[in-house]
């Protein structure tokens, strides 16, 4: 998997902040329905991130982007609530001695197929690599072909199936893994 790109012109990729929570919670509810994390859960995750074992990021239009809420009275940069959120993602890396876990990844429907999912994923994989993790693991709904295609395109491999892992609706999870550490064996081989 390649190193993360710089955010393309007109986009800002930055750490998630408390001021982002209303927008993230709204998008979470729209995209994940009954399985959405509540604002309280998101807030607890953000506080956990402050301890340094996980990282949450958001992507939004840059300061010079076209979607400036102050132009049509939707809000202010300080409140952020009226500004569009294009995507968010989170990853747990712990102390770096184990595997990282992709916790969430979402792109707003109107911003899809423009590379934002790939951008956020690359950024978080790089965090896991910097932390020293051996691999990044994730679970994804079997029917989620968009996400599975994204992960496959970035080098993740399916390594298992968790039967009836999801509840609403009930569905199996595909477990995927991306190895991060170069092996001491043949050049280019990954540790298993
Ligand atoms: C999965 C998701 C994050 C992808 O975000 P995205 O910003 O549209 O992804 P990208 O534009 O970076 O796509 C990168 C690659 O992933 C694959 N991909 C993405 N969406 C796809 C789709 N609908 N169908 C097939 N392949 C797709 C393609 O290989 C794509 O590369 P390409 O556009 O050059 O062909 C987005 O669809 C989403 O938010 N879905 C709802 C939430 C969700 O399911 N999150 C994942 C939970 S595990």
């Amino acid at each position: 998997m390649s190193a993360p790109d710089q955010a393309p012109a007109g986009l800002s990729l930055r750490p998630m902040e408390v001021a982002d929570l209303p927008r993230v919670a709204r998008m979470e509810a729209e995209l994940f329905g009954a399985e959405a994390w509540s604002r309280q859960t998101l807030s607890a995750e953000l506080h956990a991130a402050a301890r340094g074992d996980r990282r949450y990021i958001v992507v939004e239009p840059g300061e010079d982007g076209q979607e400036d809420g102050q132009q049509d009275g939707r809000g202010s940069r300080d409140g952020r609530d009226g500004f569009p959120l294009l995507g968010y993602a989170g990853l747990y890396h712990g102390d770096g001695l184990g595997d990282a876990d992709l916790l969430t990844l979402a792109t707003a429907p109107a911003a899809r197929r423009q590379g934002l999912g790939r951008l956020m994923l690359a950024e978080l994989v790089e965090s896991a690599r910097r932390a020293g993790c051996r691999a990044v693991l994730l679970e994804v709904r079997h029917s989620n072909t968009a996400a599975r295609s994204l992960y496959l395109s970035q080098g993740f491999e399916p390594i298992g199936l968790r039967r009836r892992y999801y509840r609403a609706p009930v569905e199996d999870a595909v477990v995927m893994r991306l190895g991060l550490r170069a092996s001491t064996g043949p050049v280019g081989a990954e540790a298993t």
Side-chain angles (χ1 to χ4, degrees):
M1 182 173 194
S2 57
D5 304 319
Q6 293 281 3
L11 289 180
S12 160
L13 186 157
R14 60 165 174 77
M16 189 185 291
E17 298 169 2
V18 171
D20 298 315
L21 287 178
R23 296 186 303 170
V24 174
R26 223 168 17 243
M27 197 160 132
E28 178 81 9
E30 283 164 15
L31 297 184
F32 295 106
E35 294 208 317
W37 287 357
S38 66
R39 186 160 162 183
Q40 289 69 28
T41 300
L42 289 164
S43 175
E45 280 294 300
L46 213 45
H47 280 95
R51 292 199 299 266
D53 67 357
R54 65 200 71 198
R55 185 165 178 231
Y56 283 88
I57 55 173
V58 297
V59 175
E60 61 186 354
E63 294 284 340
D64 55 348
Q66 296 173 344
E67 309 259 14
D68 189 340
Q70 284 171 323
Q71 289 174 3
D72 61 11
R74 280 178 294 153
S76 71
R77 276 281 170 200
D78 289 343
R80 297 221 179 102
D81 205 16
F83 287 89
L85 180 70
L86 302 181
Y88 62 91
L91 172 133
Y92 173 83
H93 52 68
D95 60 7
L97 296 176
D99 296 333
D101 188 25
L102 186 71
L103 300 168
T104 187
L105 174 73
T107 300
R112 288 186 189 161
R113 294 311 285 268
Q114 297 170 37
L116 296 189
R118 192 163 35 221
L119 178 75
M120 292 186 286
L121 185 59
E123 177 72 22
L124 291 183
V125 165
E126 192 53 29
S127 300
R129 197 190 302 276
R130 275 199 306 269
C133 294
R134 189 180 59 161
V136 179
L137 298 177
L138 61 83
E139 293 95 22
V140 55
R141 277 185 182 273
H142 191 272
S143 65
N144 193 343
T145 49
R148 287 177 64 185
S149 300
L150 166 62
Y151 301 139
L152 279 174
S153 77
Q154 297 304 289
F156 283 81
E157 293 174 339
I159 57 161
L161 194 70
R162 294 198 210 287
R163 293 271 296 145
R164 302 172 68 81
Y165 180 81
Y166 295 104
R167 287 277 150 243
V170 172
E171 189 178 351
D172 298 346
V174 178
V175 183
M176 302 184 80
R177 178 183 188 273
L178 176 73
L180 298 180
R181 285 191 197 159
S183 129
T184 51
V187 174
E190 296 261 86
T192 52

